Amino acid sequence: AVVLGLIANTLLEWFRLSLHAHHQQEATRRALVAELQAMLETTRNNVNNMRGSPPPGGSVMRMPIKETYPGFGWALPTVGLLTGAEISAVFKAYDYMNSWVEIVSMIGRLERVEGRLFGHVGADNCDTILSALEDRERILSAAVSELGAKLK
């Protein structure tokens, strides 16, 4: 009876840990999808605005640049529970977002206003920044699709 009790407790604990890991995977996916989706929508709006009405010659386009990603920071300890493809897509997306400051600084100039970072890009560099935004849209969309495929 004691041996059967130990076996039953062990199986119950394995089941509980498996269920907990599954819930952690779901929570991690949802947090990352929410943050990546918000960045993707902003990127799509920027791309559509630039395609629809590019700034006139000689003008400067001002765009806010996000520097922190709280969803990623929260999810980082549990990102290892995701599949290899999901991890790759997530790290590629956040790596690109983290490099956005450097991308914009090479094309235009940066300015901090009341603690918020802005990029200023001249109208003559609109094609370059549009191309970078389209790359960002593609990478973010791939990450959202990869993570969203397993969400219920």
Side-chain angles (χ1 to χ4, degrees):
V2 172
V3 173
L4 288 176
L6 287 172
I7 291 171
N9 284 340
T10 301
L11 291 174
L12 186 60
E13 184 64 15
W14 283 344
F15 176 74
R16 189 185 69 74
L17 289 174
S18 173
L19 191 60
H20 178 72
H22 175 74
H23 286 251
Q24 283 288 71
Q25 285 176 334
E26 289 294 308
T28 300
R29 281 187 187 104
R30 288 188 193 287
L32 291 172
V33 164
E35 187 169 63
L36 290 167
Q37 186 68 42
M39 290 187 286
L40 179 59
E41 291 304 316
T42 300
T43 301
R44 283 185 175 149
N45 288 339
N46 289 340
V47 167
N48 290 336
N49 288 341
M50 287 188 70
R51 282 185 186 145
S53 58
S59 67
V60 174
M61 181 181 64
R62 182 178 189 218
M63 60 175 43
I65 298 176
K66 187 172 178 157
E67 296 180 278
T68 59
Y69 308 98
F72 182 68
W74 174 86
L76 193 56
T78 57
V79 78
L81 296 172
L82 303 177
T83 67
E86 289 172 321
I87 293 169
S88 177
V90 165
F91 277 100
K92 187 174 183 179
Y94 282 100
D95 183 50
Y96 195 86
M97 292 305 297
N98 283 325
S99 69
W100 192 246
V101 172
E102 287 82 16
I103 291 169
V104 173
S105 69
M106 289 187 310
I107 299 170
R109 68 178 177 82
L110 300 174
E111 175 186 34
R112 191 167 297 279
V113 177
E114 297 179 7
R116 187 133 189 221
L117 188 63
F118 290 90
H120 297 269
V121 178
D124 52 335
N125 290 321
C126 275
D127 288 342
T128 307
I129 199 72
L130 180 59
S131 176
L133 282 167
E134 289 169 341
D135 287 344
R136 184 167 106 171
E137 181 181 17
R138 181 182 45 78
I139 291 167
L140 289 172
S141 182
V144 168
S145 295
E146 187 65 44
L147 288 167
K150 296 218 175 179
L151 287 176
K152 296 172 187 168

